[in-house]
Amino acid sequence: MRGRVVSRLVDVQDATKKFGQVTALGPISLTIGEGEFVSIVGPSGCGKSTLLEIIGGLQHTSSGSVQVRGEELTGPRDETAIVFQDSATLPWRTVLDNVAFALEARKVPRDARRRIAEERLATVGLQDFADHYPAQLSGGMRQRVAIARALTTDPDLILADEPFGALDEQTRLLMSYELLRVVERLACGVLFITHSIQEAVLLSDRVIVMSARPGRILDDIAIPLPHPRDPDVLSQPAATEAANRIWGLIRREAQLAMGAAS
Amino acid sequence: MSILTSTRPYRIPGYLRPRPATVLGLAPPAWAAVLGLAAMAAVELASRTGVVSKFDLVPPSRMAARAAGLLTDTGFLTGQLVPSIGLIAATFAIAGGLGVAAAYLLWRSEWCRKATLPLLGVYYAVPVFAVYPILVVLFGVGTAPILVVSVAFAVVVVITNSLTGFDSVPATVTKLARARRLTARQYLTKVLLPAAVPDVVAGLRLGLVYSTIGVLATEFILSTKGLGHFIADAYHTFRVDDMYAGILLICVVALILNVTVAAMLGRIDWRRR
Amino acid sequence: MTTAETVVPPVVRQPDRTSRQSRIATASAPVVLTLGLVGLWWATALVLDSSVFPDPATAVQRLLVNLESARFLRSVTGTIVRLAISYSLVVIVGAAIGFALGLSRFWSDAVSPLLYAIYSIPKVVLFPLFLLFLGLGATSQIAFAFFSGVLPMILMMTNAAAAAPRLPLKLAASLRMSRAAVICKIVVPNALPAFTSALRLTFGLTFLGLLIVEMFSGVSGLGYELLRNIPLARMGDIIGEVILVVVMALVPVTALRALEGRIHRRYSAGGAK
């Protein structure tokens, strides 16, 4: 059951990322506990995606360390699953083959692949679309395919980079409820990047607020709402209080970022 | 400690890593120059040492020398070089003008577009030069058939690119123009043509390439003067030096024409500013 | 604001209404145009001297007569065989080289400028080099036709291989997929639409190259037949042969366009939102 943090899954110590001479990110230190849902919110360009890719093993840090399950990270891990902003579905494959793609990369035999993919598709409610092509699906449905794909490998860590960023407001809301329902039944750690404070508060155990470039952590806010959660939880006072606190920090940073742009 | 000192075997996959800036210390443009020069040096060596027969391959140095010599020969200049360049220029001008105008017509008339587009799509699949013999029988060997065939060859690429350009006006801009009640002529000059410029420029650059190919190919096949004819003639009369010099000159002329026209057109191409 | 001139033409493009009426119009328009052009031809032939400008019926008749001659038939099959060989080589060799080059961003950046430079030379003037080194026979013709088609194929496939979209690559990296698996499962399928387009475009270029060199130096083949009839002023035969060339080009190209359409629909990322 979610909410009981047992031990550290991800441990980032003083990580920085430089591009040439410019420091884009850091120094950042954060932890993600096993089974913990952590959101990151911050202004555009602050390096959230870079941080996620570093924890996902897709980029090296310029200094500092990243440990997952106590071991130094040197590349992508089998037990980590990443959900990207654009669903990264392959348009020439059916939905089912897309979901099975991760298992295919693992060389899981065909029958087992199919079975697991069908199960995960059912989990996100798309079992009737197994033989469709991604082009025939809406943006929200494609993201559900991406989530189903992430779940096929039974990850202990899911990294989601603004998965609902390309969707319209109403679809976003529905998708976040959908994600809540799926995630409540899992025990994995989740790192979730979002622009939406509402999503962050609804889904997370902790919300990390990052500053504008070079991104550093401004605050690490615990969300003391009970599990299991449902959409009504947002009306509780603790939720509103957390949201306001986050918004106060973000507003300043967003203004700074806008000022820097002009 | 730093990741960089880790001894775990697996690293970030190569296909995700950015392109290396240099290989063996040279960046890509330097490599392009190196490879090009190496090729020329190989040719020079092969021809001078007799690896390849002296009647087949001429050292690039001698090609260049003979080309320079040709450039000072007024007979060559007036009989071959200038007529060819003139024809290329005329072809380009006509194909360019006709092409843009035809594209505008297609853009205005839905029926014309539907009727013509499939034909334009297969146009370049059919060897246009096949009609050259027809024209020669009708008009004799001379400037007119070459001009007609070359314009026919070059015009379609201008049409297709210009049409893409006209289609690229965003729908919201068109709505704005209608809200402001622009006349058709104002719309053409103030909205359509400026919006279409990048694609029209792309089409014109290709049109120049096709004009060059068209003129030189027809001169090559059958003609009495011009650069293409010069090379064919040199081949037939075993004047290998002249042949290579002519080829070299054509390469240089093509390069100069392309670069000049690209620079001129680049000044109005707002996508490249 | 004048009242005489029309306001901006309402060409905010409507999404294609797939009503039966509009589909019939779309399909019939090119047919109508073609029939109209043939009609124009017939009318012109009636007006002009029939020996100088024959009508369509005469041309077809001459073609059929020629096709009964064994010599002519050998010529035509010779061209078909040479076209098949050179085009197959273009597809196999060109796609392989282009694709391999595109996989390495560094080397495609280094070599592309050289390829583009060669591409912009009017290739036909290089044909005498082929004749010098490969002799007068079929080999030099096939080699030149191959050369005409292979450069665009290489350039297009290089771009296609290099254009693999970044997100699927990141996904593959996060799944620890090997380079070979990424190439097979992501880069190749992604490049397939561009490959079918390249198939269609290079066919036309290869055929064109073959025809031009057959015109210049063939002893048999369609290009040779075309040129041979010029001094004999046999317009009927010439036009009949041009019709044959058009048919020979259109049949494969129509099939290739159909293939291209199917692959693009299945493999392209654009689709219903």
Side-chain angles (χ1 to χ4, degrees):
Chain A
M1 175 69 17
R2 290 206 88 78
R4 295 197 323 121
V5 178
V6 177
S7 55
R8 279 188 186 180
L9 181 59
V10 176
D11 195 345
V12 179
Q13 306 251 16
D14 297 317
T16 62
K17 181 75 183 183
K18 286 197 169 78
F19 293 107
Q21 299 295 13
V22 179
T23 304
L25 181 70
I28 298 262
S29 296
L30 66 82
T31 62
I32 301 176
E34 196 143 4
E36 204 176 17
F37 196 117
V38 177
S39 284
I40 298 187
V41 290
S44 300
C46 69
K48 316 190 283 286
S49 295
T50 312
L51 179 60
L52 185 137
E53 288 192 10
I54 287 175
I55 297 178
L58 293 178
Q59 287 192 43
H60 289 307
T61 58
S62 307
S63 71
S65 81
V66 178
Q67 292 190 349
V68 180
R69 283 201 184 281
E71 279 180 1
E72 197 70 38
L73 197 63
T74 54
R77 265 175 91 232
D78 276 340
E79 297 85 6
T80 305
I82 306 188
V83 179
F84 296 95
Q85 178 166 6
D86 184 359
S87 63
T89 47
L90 306 175
W92 53 83
R93 289 177 167 229
T94 58
V95 163
L96 191 66
D97 285 334
N98 263 293
V99 174
F101 188 65
L103 297 170
E104 201 177 317
R106 295 283 175 78
K107 308 208 188 353
V108 170
R110 194 194 200 98
D111 297 325
R113 283 208 307 258
R114 254 198 108 80
R115 187 180 42 82
I116 298 177
E118 279 166 0
E119 280 170 21
R120 298 297 179 267
L121 257 187
T123 311
V124 298
L126 288 177
Q127 61 274 25
D128 295 326
F129 292 87
D131 292 320
H132 282 62
Y133 285 90
Q136 299 167 299
L137 267 53
S138 70
M141 290 161 86
R142 280 201 289 270
Q143 280 301 55
R144 274 148 72 184
V145 172
I147 293 173
R149 179 177 57 209
L151 294 176
T152 52
T153 51
D154 293 321
D156 61 12
L157 175 64
I158 296 183
L159 306 174
D161 187 352
E162 292 193 60
F164 308 142
L167 308 175
D168 64 83
E169 190 65 40
Q170 287 154 4
T171 314
R172 275 187 88 134
L173 213 50
L174 292 170
M175 288 295 294
S176 56
Y177 297 161
E178 188 70 20
L179 186 63
L180 184 63
R181 189 180 59 77
V182 167
V183 143
E184 278 295 331
R185 297 190 304 189
L186 302 171
C188 53
V190 180
L191 182 66
F192 188 82
I193 296 185
T194 179
H195 271 304
S196 161
I197 301 178
Q198 186 177 8
E199 257 167 38
V201 171
L202 173 68
L203 297 163
S204 335
D205 298 312
R206 279 162 53 215
V207 176
I208 294 179
V209 183
M210 279 181 68
S211 71
R213 174 183 283 238
R216 286 159 298 108
I217 296 186
L218 289 177
D219 204 350
D220 190 330
I221 300 171
I223 311 287
L225 296 169
H227 284 281
R229 295 188 186 170
D230 58 50
D232 298 329
V233 90
L234 283 174
S235 54
Q236 290 188 18
T240 324
E241 190 192 308
N244 284 334
R245 214 170 125 201
I246 299 171
W247 175 228
L249 289 164
I250 298 263
R251 190 167 67 184
R252 241 191 94 246
E253 292 304 310
Q255 281 170 338
L256 281 174
M258 255 172 51
S262 61
Chain B
M1 227 3 277
S2 162
I3 288 178
L4 302 166
T5 59
S6 165
T7 51
R8 286 278 293 278
Y10 191 78
R11 301 185 341 111
I12 293 172
Y15 51 82
L16 209 57
R17 274 184 248 146
R19 177 203 93 178
T22 63
V23 166
L24 295 182
L26 292 172
W31 270 106
V34 162
L35 289 170
L37 287 172
M40 271 204 290
V43 170
E44 181 93 16
L45 225 63
S47 55
R48 281 202 186 279
T49 58
V51 166
V52 182
S53 153
K54 224 193 297 280
F55 295 114
D56 291 340
L57 189 62
V58 162
S61 46
R62 211 158 73 208
M63 287 186 210
R66 182 75 187 106
L70 285 171
L71 282 175
T72 56
D73 175 357
T74 43
F76 176 79
L77 288 176
T78 54
Q80 328 290 354
L81 188 63
V82 169
S84 283
I85 296 186
L87 263 178
I88 294 175
T91 306
F92 177 59
I94 298 176
L98 268 183
V100 176
Y104 182 62
L105 175 68
L106 290 185
W107 182 81
R108 277 297 288 268
S109 157
E110 192 65 30
W111 188 89
C112 282
R113 179 196 283 253
K114 281 188 192 165
T116 321
L117 223 49
L119 301 181
L120 291 182
V122 296
Y123 188 79
Y124 282 117
V126 176
V128 181
F129 291 89
V131 305
Y132 185 48
I134 300 178
L135 295 169
V136 169
V137 172
L138 283 177
F139 303 115
V141 177
T143 318
I146 300 182
L147 200 57
V148 171
V149 172
S150 309
V151 167
F153 189 58
V155 76
V156 171
V157 77
V158 177
I159 294 179
T160 44
N161 278 280
S162 305
L163 192 57
T164 308
F166 292 147
D167 284 340
S168 71
V169 178
T172 45
V173 172
T174 308
K175 289 182 191 169
L176 175 67
R178 288 177 74 198
R180 291 254 164 261
R181 306 194 54 183
L182 261 53
T183 64
R185 187 140 172 261
Q186 284 175 319
Y187 184 74
L188 173 67
T189 49
K190 290 190 192 297
V191 176
L192 196 62
L193 281 178
V197 157
D199 287 301
V200 168
V201 164
L204 286 176
R205 290 181 65 181
L206 282 171
L208 178 65
V209 172
Y210 280 52
S211 301
T212 316
I213 295 176
V215 167
L216 289 172
T218 35
E219 285 179 348
F220 187 76
I221 298 170
L222 184 63
S223 181
T224 53
K225 57 179 180 155
L227 274 176
H229 163 78
F230 178 77
I231 294 179
D233 188 52
Y235 167 73
H236 283 307
T237 54
F238 304 105
R239 288 173 5 237
V240 179
D241 276 12
D242 279 356
M243 189 187 82
Y244 278 106
I247 293 177
L248 184 64
L249 274 178
I250 286 183
C251 296
V252 168
V253 165
L255 187 67
I256 293 180
L257 276 177
N258 280 330
V259 167
T260 319
V261 170
M264 275 166 40
L265 291 174
R267 299 239 296 261
I268 57 173
D269 184 356
W270 48 261
R271 237 186 254 165
R272 286 192 191 281
R273 293 232 184 95
Chain C
M1 247 186 318
T2 68
T3 49
E5 295 166 47
T6 54
V7 178
V8 171
V11 280
V12 181
R13 290 252 103 83
Q14 311 282 359
D16 239 356
R17 294 187 312 267
T18 50
S19 70
R20 261 198 102 223
Q21 204 183 22
S22 124
R23 262 183 297 156
I24 292 177
T26 311
S28 66
V31 176
V32 168
L33 181 65
T34 316
L35 290 176
L37 289 171
V38 172
L40 191 64
W41 174 3
W42 218 306
T44 323
L46 286 175
V47 167
L48 297 178
D49 180 357
S50 67
S51 68
V52 163
F53 199 81
D55 61 56
T58 316
V60 173
Q61 191 191 33
R62 286 302 309 157
L63 176 62
L64 293 174
V65 165
N66 276 327
L67 283 172
E68 287 169 16
S69 130
R71 190 196 60 81
F72 186 80
L73 219 52
R74 257 202 312 267
S75 248
V76 173
T77 37
T79 300
I80 294 181
V81 165
R82 286 189 287 269
L83 180 59
I85 296 178
S86 44
Y87 184 61
S88 313
L89 285 174
V90 165
V91 170
I92 298 174
V93 172
I97 294 181
F99 193 79
L101 191 60
L103 290 177
S104 160
R105 179 139 295 151
F106 184 85
W107 288 111
S108 55
D109 281 350
V111 174
S112 287
L114 296 171
L115 291 177
Y116 273 108
I118 301 177
Y119 183 57
S120 62
I121 300 174
K123 289 186 253 344
V124 69
V125 303
L126 298 174
F127 183 53
L129 300 180
F130 285 78
L131 287 174
L132 274 181
F133 291 107
L134 295 171
L136 273 174
T139 319
S140 55
Q141 291 176 344
I142 293 176
F144 183 79
F146 167 75
F147 179 60
S148 302
V150 82
L151 266 178
M153 172 66 84
I154 292 180
L155 287 170
M156 281 192 257
M157 290 312 291
T158 304
N159 287 336
R166 196 133 174 91
L167 271 183
L169 289 183
K170 284 191 188 174
L171 174 69
S174 72
L175 295 171
R176 298 178 57 179
M177 278 174 77
S178 67
R179 191 142 202 255
V182 166
I183 293 176
C184 287
K185 294 188 202 275
I186 296 183
V187 186
V188 168
N190 184 262
L192 221 51
F195 180 59
T196 53
S197 300
L199 280 179
R200 176 177 58 88
L201 289 165
T202 52
F203 179 80
L205 292 169
T206 311
F207 193 11
L208 183 63
L210 181 64
L211 212 66
I212 289 183
V213 299
E214 280 184 353
M215 280 201 239
F216 180 70
S217 81
V219 295
S220 107
L222 262 180
Y224 164 74
E225 298 291 335
L226 273 169
L227 211 69
R228 171 174 168 270
N229 282 320
I230 292 185
L232 301 172
R234 299 218 287 240
M235 275 297 268
D237 294 64
I238 292 178
I239 299 188
E241 281 151 17
V242 171
I243 294 179
L244 182 61
V245 164
V246 169
V247 168
M248 270 179 68
L250 280 183
V251 168
V253 162
T254 314
L256 286 173
R257 282 190 95 197
L259 177 69
E260 190 184 349
R262 274 189 66 197
I263 298 283
H264 269 263
R265 270 192 301 275
R266 162 99 184 264
Y267 282 68
S268 282
K273 286 280 168 56

